[in-house]
Amino acid sequence: MFSYEKQRSINIAKNRKLLAELGLDKPFFDPIEKPGKPKATAKKRKADQMEDSSRSTSTNKKPSRNSSDTSSDQDNTPLRRSTRNQGKKVDYSKEKVSKDYIPDSFKAGIRTTSNMGPMGREDGKRIHDPKKFGSIPGIEVGTWWETRQGCSADAIHAPWVAGISGGPEGAYSVALSGGYDDDVDEGYAFTYTGSGGRDLKGTKTAPKNLRTAPQSSDQTFDNPFNAALKRSSETKKPVRVIRGFKSHSNYAPTEGYRYDGLYVVESAWMEKGLNAKGYLVCKYLFKRLPNQPPIPVRASEEAMEDSNEVEEE
């Protein structure tokens, strides 16, 4: 066994022991994510498609406007207007944000998802302040997004890349994306490794591979992100947690990023990290707050294959 794998096994065993001491090594019953069935779409005949194409071509032709009409429009407003808004009073200064955003691919039945919760917005003006402790109004546990941008738009987790969001009074949210191999995720409790200790300048061979660069120094609690989580372990203020599809945990969503509710940081400590030179890392133990909806468990590959076979039949 290589030294890396040996050290990884030791770290995982230690983290599992910490969870067992809290009585969180055996989580409660959880619902299993089941892949959704694709919607049947009616197929058009070739003749119908040709008719629709000719009809759209004829309706797209618009009557020409003379130069006097154009100049009068431009004189009346400094903003450029489309012909469909001609004669209407339109306020272009206000941004219209759809609260029930659904991608066209999902509406058309081309794509389906195994996420059971509602889908959040993927873009638009942020309504609530992400720099607050606790839940965000209107965002229920189980809501999911295709991208981290969507998590930021709905104020659940503001950073598009960083895994920790916090301030002097503690952490507001964290993202689990499988960054460290020796972390243990049991759904209702998990261990989390802090930030820093990597050379963000990159190397000649991998100048842009900054987030996955090998650790080259000790992590410290002086790092603002690590300090925020350490402060949370003292104040016990709730931290929002999202899980991403890149995580290897059974509690990670099969796609996108899912809001799994509020947790508290039970403890914070430092230990030797999973690296060849033994650089130290900041570690944290999270525990989920009670009276929240259960966390779905990712369906096994065998269950996914059986479900696909049933759909094909």
Side-chain angles (χ1 to χ4, degrees):
M1 180 181 291
F2 294 105
S3 58
Y4 177 89
E5 292 296 331
K6 184 177 181 180
Q7 185 62 46
R8 177 174 177 271
S9 299
I10 294 173
N11 290 354
I12 290 176
K14 185 186 301 181
N15 290 334
R16 290 191 184 280
K17 183 179 179 181
L18 287 171
L19 296 178
E21 290 174 356
L22 290 176
L24 296 168
D25 55 326
K26 297 179 180 179
F28 302 105
F29 171 79
D30 302 304
I32 296 178
E33 286 185 334
K34 296 180 180 179
K37 296 182 179 180
K39 297 179 181 179
T41 54
K43 296 182 179 179
K44 288 187 175 182
R45 293 179 300 176
K46 188 173 183 180
D48 293 337
Q49 292 176 347
M50 293 177 64
E51 183 180 348
D52 291 343
S53 177
S54 62
R55 187 181 302 168
S56 61
T57 304
S58 61
T59 55
N60 285 337
K61 293 182 179 179
K62 302 292 181 182
S64 59
R65 303 173 61 199
N66 56 41
S67 58
S68 61
D69 292 339
T70 305
S71 61
S72 62
D73 259 1
Q74 291 177 348
D75 293 338
N76 292 334
T77 176
L79 297 172
R80 184 175 179 180
R81 295 175 180 268
S82 64
T83 54
R84 64 185 173 84
N85 288 326
Q86 185 179 359
K88 297 180 181 179
K89 186 177 180 181
V90 182
D91 186 359
Y92 286 94
S93 62
K94 292 184 178 179
E95 182 179 11
K96 295 182 179 180
V97 179
S98 174
K99 292 184 178 180
D100 55 348
Y101 170 84
I102 300 177
D104 292 338
S105 57
F106 285 94
K107 289 180 180 178
I110 299 172
R111 285 185 58 199
T112 58
T113 177
S114 59
N115 286 310
M116 295 185 288
M119 188 172 188
R121 296 184 300 130
E122 287 298 323
D123 202 353
K125 186 177 181 179
R126 188 183 288 157
I127 301 173
H128 300 286
D129 183 9
K131 295 182 178 181
K132 60 164 289 187
F133 300 101
S135 58
I136 300 297
I139 306 299
E140 60 184 86
V141 175
T143 302
W144 72 283
W145 300 264
E146 287 193 287
T147 65
R148 288 278 293 271
Q149 179 181 351
C151 300
S152 181
D154 275 339
I156 283 293
H157 184 67
W160 287 22
V161 178
I164 305 169
S165 174
E169 294 303 315
Y172 310 117
S173 59
V174 296
L176 276 65
S177 295
Y180 289 83
D181 292 339
D182 57 344
D183 279 327
V184 175
D185 183 4
E186 296 292 352
Y188 291 84
F190 60 87
T191 58
Y192 190 86
T193 303
S195 177
R198 292 173 173 174
D199 186 3
L200 297 184
K201 296 179 181 178
T203 62
K204 291 183 178 180
T205 56
K208 295 182 180 180
N209 193 21
L210 306 182
R211 293 285 170 182
T212 58
Q215 192 168 348
S216 56
S217 62
D218 292 335
Q219 291 184 358
T220 69
F221 287 123
D222 292 333
N223 180 294
F225 297 120
N226 298 335
L229 284 176
K230 189 173 188 300
R231 179 60 177 159
S232 291
S233 70
E234 299 164 353
T235 64
K236 303 303 179 185
K237 290 184 178 181
V239 181
R240 296 184 298 274
V241 171
I242 63 169
R243 283 181 171 87
F245 68 98
K246 294 182 180 179
S247 174
H248 301 296
S249 167
N250 290 334
Y251 292 89
T254 52
E255 65 175 319
Y257 301 86
R258 187 187 63 223
Y259 172 48
D260 282 344
L262 301 176
Y263 289 68
V264 291
V265 182
E266 285 288 326
S267 58
W269 70 98
M270 294 194 70
E271 68 179 26
K272 178 182 176 181
L274 191 60
N275 56 79
K277 295 187 178 180
Y279 292 116
L280 300 177
V281 294
C282 300
K283 300 286 290 190
Y284 307 90
L285 177 61
F286 281 73
K287 178 182 177 181
R288 196 170 192 251
L289 290 175
N291 303 321
Q292 297 186 88
I295 308 171
V297 180
R298 180 186 289 181
S300 63
E301 294 182 1
E302 292 80 3
M304 294 284 286
E305 291 176 358
D306 293 342
S307 178
N308 292 334
E309 289 177 1
V310 171
E311 290 179 3
E312 290 176 359
E313 293 175 359

